[in-house]
């Protein structure tokens, strides 16, 4: 009897050996990938494929949210390149929730339909072969509905806990600590303490921007150049990514000028609590900085008297987007966005282009195109072909597929 059973197992493996299988693994975040993720899923699916005698032709993985439709994921596009060509017989997921985590459960039914239309089978390493019939769809829907409901409960409990923590005046502790502070402790016991070196830089930025001690206010760009000249470490270069930042940028200074933590108020969503022991800046100086920021925003908005039709729609020869700029009172230009960075970070020296000239060229081309049905059809076909080629860049097999 044991020989008969062994022979039956061999027969089953041989019968399935011709079936081409693709393994698809997904995790939502890099942290999740480190904690339990991709390797564990792929290993379980490899064992499942070996047990059933499937020939694995590709291993695909995504590090992206399950709420993103499968066809819009990089790995999902690779999977669909096989399904669309009917070049796969079996698609294996680790669990049902690796397909999707959308609360409406639409993606599960789309994936089931597309796998069925490709004449392929759907398998789960933790549950075996899925029934792609109407009744099987109903069963999977109920399973996914239960999992979705449990996720919502977990999310609600987590949010309630974080809100309670924030209301108690304790730092919630998500992500890196704000510039000017260090994190001490671990997990729920973590808290913020002032970093003296960074705190001095924060105070100096507020002093420069508001013009303290009788000095005139200093513009954001000038502050960036000053700090970069002096070799002051960039916030992103002093935390978890020591090589990420080399130059101070306006957005970093704006971020520092806007944070309530510097006047001893911790903010988590709509919850604001007092934390006077973390204050670095006088509230009056903070309010003066906000008033300056508001005034400068209105001033900048009013200075754009010309509407630039092609801002961010045309590209420089270097590949960056171009933006409109009033170089003189009566002359408008398009310039490379690489020229707007501080002097050390400028990546482009291409000349400005007169807005009147470029707008005219584009408008004449567009008018001619819209008035000629043949040209319009050819242009649309060209765009479709370019998008198809872009998709193929994402879906081309990796070395692991061979």
């Amino acid at each position: 009897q044991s020989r008969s059973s062994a022979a039956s197992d061999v027969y089953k493996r041989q019968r399935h050996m011709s079936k081409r299988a693709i393994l698809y693994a997904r995790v939502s975040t890099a942290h999740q990938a480190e904690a339990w993720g991709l390797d564990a899923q792929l290993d379980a699916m490899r064992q499942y494929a070996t047990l059933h005698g499937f020939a694995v032709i590709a291993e695909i993985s995504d590090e992206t949210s399950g709420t993103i439709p499968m066809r819009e994921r990089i790995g999902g596009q690779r999977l669909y390149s096989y399904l669309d060509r009917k070049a796969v017989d079996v698609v294996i997921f680790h669990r049902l929730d690796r397909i999707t985590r959308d609360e409406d459960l639409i993606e599960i039914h789309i994936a089931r339909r597309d796998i069925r239309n490709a004449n392929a089978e759907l398998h789960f390493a933790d549950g075996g072969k899925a029934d792609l019939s109407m009744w099987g769809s109903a069963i999977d829907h109920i399973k996914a509905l239960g999992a979705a409901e449990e996720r919502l409960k977990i999310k609600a409990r987590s949010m309630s806990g974080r809100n309670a923590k924030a209301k108690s005046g304790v730092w919630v502790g998500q992500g890196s600590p704000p510039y000017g502070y260090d994190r001490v402790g671990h997990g729920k016991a973590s808290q913020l303490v002032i970093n003296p070196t960074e705190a001095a830089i924060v105070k100096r930025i507020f002093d420069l921007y508001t013009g303290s001690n009788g000095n005139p206010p200093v513009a954001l760009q000038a502050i960036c150049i000053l700090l970069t000249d002096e070799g002051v470490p960039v916030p992103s270069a002093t935390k978890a990514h020591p090589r990420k930042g080399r130059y101070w940028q306006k957005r970093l200074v704006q971020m520092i000028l806007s944070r309530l933590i510097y006047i001893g108020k911790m903010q988590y969503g709509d919850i604001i609590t007092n934390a006077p022991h973390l204050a670095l800046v006088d509230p009056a100086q903070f309010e003066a900085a906000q008033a300056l920021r508001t005034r400068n925003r209105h001033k900048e908005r009013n200075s754009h008297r010309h509407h630039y039709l092609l801002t961010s729609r045309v590209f420089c020869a270097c590949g960056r987007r171009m933006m409109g700029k009033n170089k003189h009172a009566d002359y408008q230009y398009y310039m490379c966005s690489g020229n707007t960075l501080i002097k050390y970070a400028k990546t482009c020296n291409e000349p400005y282009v007169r807005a009147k000239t470029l707008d005219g060229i584009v408008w004449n081309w567009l008018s001619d195109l819209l008035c000629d049905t043949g040209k319009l059809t050819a242009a649309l076909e060209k765009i479709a072909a370019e998008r198809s080629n872009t998709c193929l860049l994402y879906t081309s097999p990796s070395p692991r597929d061979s």
Side-chain angles (χ1 to χ4, degrees), residues 42 64 69 87 96 126 130-131 134 138 146 148 166 214 217 222 246 287 289 293 311 321 373 394 402:
L42 288 170
T64 188
L96 184 63
D126 73 334
D131 180 0
M134 180 177 65
R246 292 182 295 170
E287 291 302 323
R293 292 179 68 226
T311 288
R321 295 181 185 272
T373 305
Y394 289 113
S402 58

Side-chain angles (χ1 to χ4, degrees), residues 97 100-102 144 146-156:
D97 65 358
T100 181
R101 276 185 178 271
D102 68 309
E149 184 178 1
E150 181 61 25
R151 286 194 301 272
L152 289 176
K153 290 179 180 178
I154 293 172
K155 183 178 179 181

Side-chain angles (χ1 to χ4, degrees), residues 197-217:
T197 302
E198 294 181 358
I201 297 169
V202 171
K203 293 176 184 177
R204 188 182 177 202
I205 288 173
F206 274 92
D207 288 344
L208 289 169
Y209 189 71
T210 58
S212 65
N213 302 321
N215 296 315

Side-chain angles (χ1 to χ4, degrees), residues 129-146:
K129 181 180 177 181
D131 180 0
L132 294 180
S133 69
M134 180 177 65
W135 293 112
S137 178
I139 292 171
D140 278 353
H141 184 90
I142 293 172
K143 289 180 181 178
L145 190 63

Side-chain angles (χ1 to χ4, degrees), residues 50-220:
T50 301
L51 178 64
H52 291 80
F54 298 141
V56 176
I57 61 172
E59 294 183 357
I60 299 173
S61 60
D62 266 321
E63 291 187 28
T64 188
S65 170
T67 60
I68 297 175
M70 181 73 76
R71 276 193 182 271
E72 295 180 15
R73 308 173 197 169
I74 294 177
Q77 291 175 1
R78 285 186 55 209
L79 173 59
Y80 267 97
S81 74
Y82 288 93
L83 291 173
D84 293 341
R85 293 181 286 117
K86 295 187 177 180
V88 59
D89 303 307
V90 178
V91 179
I92 304 175
F93 293 87
H94 184 241
R95 294 200 312 257
L96 184 63
D97 65 358
R98 295 304 87 198
I99 297 179
T100 181
R101 276 185 178 271
D102 68 309
E103 296 175 6
D104 295 326
L105 309 181
I106 296 172
E107 276 297 308
I108 288 178
H109 298 290
I110 292 175
R112 288 172 53 88
R113 179 203 64 192
D114 293 341
I115 292 171
R116 183 180 65 247
N117 290 344
N119 297 325
E121 298 174 1
L122 172 61
H123 288 248
F124 298 103
D126 73 334
K129 181 180 177 181
D131 180 0
L132 294 180
S133 69
M134 180 177 65
W135 293 112
S137 178
I139 292 171
D140 278 353
H141 184 90
I142 293 172
K143 289 180 181 178
L145 190 63
E149 184 178 1
E150 181 61 25
R151 286 194 301 272
L152 289 176
K153 290 179 180 178
I154 293 172
K155 183 178 179 181
R157 287 196 296 266
S158 298
M159 183 60 69
S160 177
R162 287 194 290 267
N163 287 341
K165 188 175 181 182
K167 288 178 180 178
S168 68
V170 179
W171 182 53
V172 175
Q174 290 185 309
S176 299
Y179 188 73
Y181 305 93
D182 290 323
R183 181 210 307 262
V184 295
H186 300 282
K188 295 181 179 180
S190 64
Q191 56 183 320
L192 294 180
V193 296
I194 294 174
N195 179 312
T197 302
E198 294 181 358
I201 297 169
V202 171
K203 293 176 184 177
R204 188 182 177 202
I205 288 173
F206 274 92
D207 288 344
L208 289 169
Y209 189 71
T210 58
S212 65
N213 302 321
N215 296 315
V218 180
L220 292 174

